[in-house]
Amino acid sequence: MENLGRGSASSPEGGVEMPPEGRTPGPLPYEGVWRFTAPAIDASVPQARHAVRDLLVRQGVPVADDIVHGLLLIVSELVTNAVRHAALLSPVLAVEVAVGAEWVRVSVEDKHPYRPTALEADHGQTGGRGLLLVREITRESGGVCDVEHTSSGGKVIWAALPLSPGVV
């Protein structure tokens, strides 16, 4: 994994985050942004999940266990979607982890131009609800998620969760 730099923490939505009262400006030891790429193949799903988990542990991110479990499920779903639906136009995907003072944001980027749609629960289908699951985990954790187009014509899907339940 490559650390693409540290600097002043930005909010999960990309705006500048002001330091809380009593906190000195500057990043905490665990704050930063890391990005890695992987081929758009099935084996990348568990590899991405393990890489994110190992990064959180290695950096000493003070994240609650239930948030970690939700975050890793989100990573699995987003990478799975990129592998299943974007691999033809995007043989490589990128996973980014950004950690701020009170939140962690994961995103998966591919070069496929179409914006995915969250399907409603259909008990007759065994798949197709990954984005619905991502949205629900994010909401229950008190986080936010979205899909954005990239300047290269692809898309990035991201979810930001608080490090502790009830904080954002």
Side-chain angles (χ1 to χ4, degrees):
M1 262 189 236
E2 176 182 7
N3 181 347
L4 294 182
R6 296 177 186 259
S8 57
S10 60
S11 71
E13 295 86 12
V16 175
E17 180 180 281
M18 299 306 291
E21 287 296 318
R23 182 175 158 215
T24 58
L28 293 169
Y30 58 83
E31 289 181 84
V33 177
W34 297 265
R35 184 178 175 93
F36 59 94
T37 59
I41 59 174
D42 288 336
S44 294
V45 176
Q47 290 173 349
R49 188 176 54 248
H50 294 300
V52 170
R53 183 198 61 218
D54 294 347
L55 171 70
L56 296 172
V57 170
R58 187 175 60 248
Q59 292 304 119
V61 179
V63 61
D65 286 343
D66 54 338
I67 299 293
V68 171
H69 293 299
L71 191 68
L72 296 179
L73 184 53
I74 289 170
V75 168
S76 292
E77 291 297 330
L78 295 182
V79 173
T80 296
N81 283 350
V83 167
R84 288 190 182 159
H85 304 293
L88 199 58
L89 295 177
S90 184
V92 175
L93 57 93
V95 177
E96 184 174 281
V97 180
V99 182
E102 297 179 352
W103 53 267
V104 58
R105 177 184 180 204
V106 293
S107 61
V108 175
E109 181 179 337
D110 63 56
K111 297 195 182 319
H112 197 288
Y114 298 114
R115 186 180 184 105
T117 305
L119 301 177
E120 294 303 317
D122 178 354
H123 298 292
Q125 289 184 328
T126 58
R129 293 183 290 273
L131 288 178
L132 188 64
L133 183 59
V134 167
R135 194 184 300 156
E136 188 62 22
I137 291 168
T138 303
R139 185 190 63 76
E140 285 181 5
S141 299
V144 292
C145 62
D146 201 3
V147 179
E148 299 171 358
H149 290 285
T150 64
S151 60
S152 62
K155 67 183 166 303
V156 60
I157 306 174
W158 60 268
L161 305 180
L163 294 180
S164 300
V167 177
V168 163

